[in-house]
Amino acid sequence: MEKENTTTIKGEILLGIIFALELYALPVQFYLLLKGSEFTFFSAAVRFFSFFTILTNTIVFICSALLLFGGKCKLNSFFKKCTTITAITVYILIVGMVFNLLLRSLVDLKGHHLIVSEIFHTVVPVLFFFYWIAFVSPGKISFKVILFWLIYPIIYIIYTLFHGIMTDFYPYPFIDVTKLGFKTALINGTFVLIAFVVLSVILISISKMRTKEI
């Protein structure tokens, strides 16, 4: 059975910062989406959670909240595992990498839009990675687990493509079937999945090397 991580005081402080940032950014982003739009609350919620960025930052928020306040609940035990935290680290790093490498030049954000974007795409990914590398006890993670880690992004891509076909809304330009065509959008999605695999291999390899050093 995989050993659960115990968070030090410094780790809890860092988790508290991440938790506070998400507690601010997620509601503000939803408010900005709802403000001045014709969305109902339900349709705004659907649009809100159609972004991988929002979904993944929500996972980070839930993870940090449970690690800080979850006590001995069963769900908290799941989030304390090195495998779980490493998977979340991969997901949030992908959020940061895709935005900063592919999308940053395409957007011109100001005010609260800029603040929450930086929190989602830069600050939280960096802080959560630092939490993983500094405060999560390394574990002997099998490379086979990557297949399970890919379930989340694969389901997201499938949902996004079919949701887009029905609504003509695509949250990211590299999977916009309307402009690129279904084949190109699917190929781009495949490249993103490859990035997931590569980053997963890197983090698992780091974890294995750190395990040998202990």
Side-chain angles (χ1 to χ4, degrees):
M1 186 180 226
E2 186 177 344
K3 184 180 178 181
E4 293 181 359
N5 281 275
T6 54
T7 306
T8 64
I9 296 298
K10 291 181 179 179
E12 288 181 348
I13 291 173
L14 182 53
L15 279 175
I17 293 171
I18 295 170
F19 173 79
L21 288 169
E22 297 286 25
L23 188 61
Y24 161 78
L26 287 166
V28 168
Q29 183 63 73
F30 185 74
Y31 170 77
L32 293 172
L33 176 62
L34 199 57
K35 179 184 176 183
S37 71
E38 297 180 354
F39 291 124
T40 64
F41 185 89
F42 176 77
S43 61
V46 172
R47 178 65 60 92
F48 186 66
F49 288 108
S50 291
F51 288 87
F52 189 82
T53 293
I54 298 299
L55 287 170
T56 305
N57 274 274
T58 300
I59 292 173
V60 170
F61 172 71
I62 293 171
C63 177
S64 60
L66 284 170
L67 292 177
L68 287 169
F69 313 116
K72 296 181 180 180
C73 74
K74 292 183 179 180
L75 192 58
N76 191 26
S77 298
F78 171 75
F79 280 101
K80 280 184 176 181
K81 293 180 179 179
C82 176
T83 302
T84 303
I85 300 175
T86 304
I88 295 173
T89 304
V90 171
Y91 299 148
I92 197 64
L93 285 177
I94 286 291
V95 167
M97 291 168 61
V98 170
F99 178 81
N100 286 289
L101 294 176
L102 301 178
L103 304 177
R104 179 175 288 277
S105 61
L106 303 179
V107 295
D108 182 21
L109 303 173
K110 297 179 181 179
H112 286 294
H113 289 282
L114 177 61
I115 294 172
V116 295
S117 178
E118 291 303 326
I119 290 173
F120 288 149
H121 299 113
T122 304
V123 181
V124 167
V126 170
L127 291 181
F128 201 80
F129 174 75
F130 184 73
Y131 172 76
W132 176 78
I133 200 74
F135 300 109
V136 175
S137 302
K140 295 181 179 180
I141 306 173
S142 170
F143 288 111
K144 294 179 181 179
V145 79
I146 295 175
L147 295 175
F148 294 98
W149 292 0
L150 284 175
I151 292 175
Y152 167 43
I154 287 173
I155 290 176
Y156 174 78
I157 290 174
I158 293 172
Y159 163 79
T160 299
L161 291 175
F162 282 96
H163 180 255
I165 291 172
M166 293 185 291
T167 64
D168 287 328
F169 169 73
Y170 297 91
Y172 302 105
F174 55 84
I175 51 174
D176 190 335
V177 172
T178 305
K179 295 181 179 179
L180 302 175
F182 190 83
K183 182 179 179 180
T184 301
L186 193 59
I187 290 173
N188 290 342
T190 302
F191 278 119
V192 173
L193 291 177
I194 292 172
F196 270 102
V197 173
V198 172
L199 188 57
S200 296
V201 169
I202 292 172
L203 264 62
I204 290 175
S205 297
I206 292 173
S207 187
K208 286 179 177 293
M209 288 187 290
R210 291 178 63 211
T211 302
K212 292 179 181 179
E213 292 174 359
I214 296 176

